Amino acid sequence: ENTSVLENHHWRSAIGCLLESGVAEQVEEYRGDMEKQISSLILATDITRQQEFIGQFKDFLNNNTLNMRDANHRHFILQIALKCADISNPCRPWDISKKWSLKVCEEFYRQGDFERQLNLPVTSLCDRQTTTVPKIQTGFFKFVVTLLVNEWHRFLKSELSYRMMRYLKYNDKQWDQRLQAEIAEETRTEISDADLLE
């Protein structure tokens, strides 16, 4: 079973960089542990494991059982921090966040275009004929980013996490307004089409 294909590629690339740069030789006695840690950190960014990590993080915070003297707990927090960084675009200022959202959605659409050309089933997220950037972004905010960043903010309560939350809420509102405008336009079109049929 091919799981975490992209993440496996990323951690192998990271190890390759350490080898090529000569850093691996300089930390030879720690190299095994370091490679395991890098692997574990990067594999944690697999979005299919999101609920597992959020659930564990919530349990730690709800039960006040996070012990930063425990190496396993510190490693878990590093995994959460990397997960937050991995999906942090919604926590940036709107002009930057919007630009990157458009770029990533265009990448999705290109994948869908290739799937269509090859007569493969088109991945729903990648189908420019059936989904829009505001639909993709509002779903991403609601089901992926906000759940994680809320818990990160609850843990961190820092100037940075407050800023992340402010941008996240503002950007969420921007995409939601665009989605509502699309829905209103679709409704107007359906009504005018119905009038033409009468």
Side-chain angles (χ1 to χ4, degrees):
E1 184 182 339
N2 281 342
T3 58
S4 306
V5 176
L6 187 63
E7 292 76 18
N8 271 293
H9 168 71
H10 286 159
W11 85 257
R12 286 189 174 95
S13 297
I15 301 303
C17 289
L18 290 173
L19 291 169
E20 287 175 30
S21 66
V23 170
E25 292 166 23
Q26 296 169 29
V27 292
E28 196 59 50
E29 61 184 299
Y30 311 111
R31 189 169 149 203
D33 283 343
M34 186 178 71
E35 287 187 13
K36 269 193 276 189
Q37 289 233 355
I38 290 170
S39 165
S40 172
L41 289 168
I42 294 175
L43 290 176
T45 63
D46 185 342
I47 210 74
T48 63
R49 298 184 64 198
Q50 189 81 341
Q51 292 313 311
E52 169 197 339
F53 277 95
I54 291 174
Q56 194 176 347
F57 198 22
K58 276 185 173 181
D59 285 347
F60 275 135
L61 296 177
N62 291 343
N63 302 318
N64 200 24
T65 50
L66 199 58
N67 176 6
M68 296 308 280
R69 289 189 187 92
D70 182 322
N72 291 325
H73 289 204
R74 289 195 306 273
H75 183 74
F76 177 77
I77 290 301
L78 286 174
Q79 288 175 312
I80 293 292
L82 192 59
K83 287 176 74 56
C84 288
D86 187 44
I87 58 171
S88 65
N89 183 55
C91 301
R92 294 175 177 163
W94 169 247
D95 57 334
I96 298 167
S97 182
K98 179 185 175 195
K99 182 197 296 186
W100 283 104
S101 295
L102 294 172
K103 285 180 181 296
V104 79
C105 288
E106 186 51 40
E107 189 179 317
F108 293 161
Y109 290 153
R110 280 199 307 272
Q111 176 183 323
D113 295 344
F114 283 125
E115 289 170 341
R116 188 169 273 111
Q117 284 172 9
L118 297 170
N119 289 320
L120 295 169
V122 178
T123 308
S124 60
L125 191 69
C126 302
D127 192 345
R128 70 173 78 235
Q129 295 174 8
T130 59
T131 194
T132 63
V133 175
K135 282 181 190 168
I136 292 169
Q137 290 303 309
T138 52
F140 182 56
F141 274 66
K142 183 176 181 180
F143 299 112
V144 180
V145 182
T146 303
L147 300 172
L148 180 62
V149 175
N150 277 341
E151 297 307 315
W152 184 242
H153 175 56
R154 186 156 68 115
F155 167 70
L156 218 51
K157 283 281 193 281
S158 69
E159 186 183 326
L160 173 63
S161 70
Y162 276 103
R163 193 174 331 135
M164 288 170 70
M165 291 303 293
R166 271 198 313 276
Y167 287 138
L168 179 65
K169 287 174 183 169
Y170 180 83
N171 296 342
D172 188 26
K173 195 179 294 181
Q174 295 304 310
W175 287 119
D176 190 57
Q177 286 171 355
R178 284 157 176 76
L179 179 61
Q180 296 313 315
E182 281 181 1
I183 292 167
E185 183 55 38
E186 285 171 14
T187 305
R188 272 195 299 277
T189 304
E190 285 167 10
I191 291 169
S192 58
D193 286 351
D195 288 345
L196 291 172
L197 294 173
E198 287 179 1

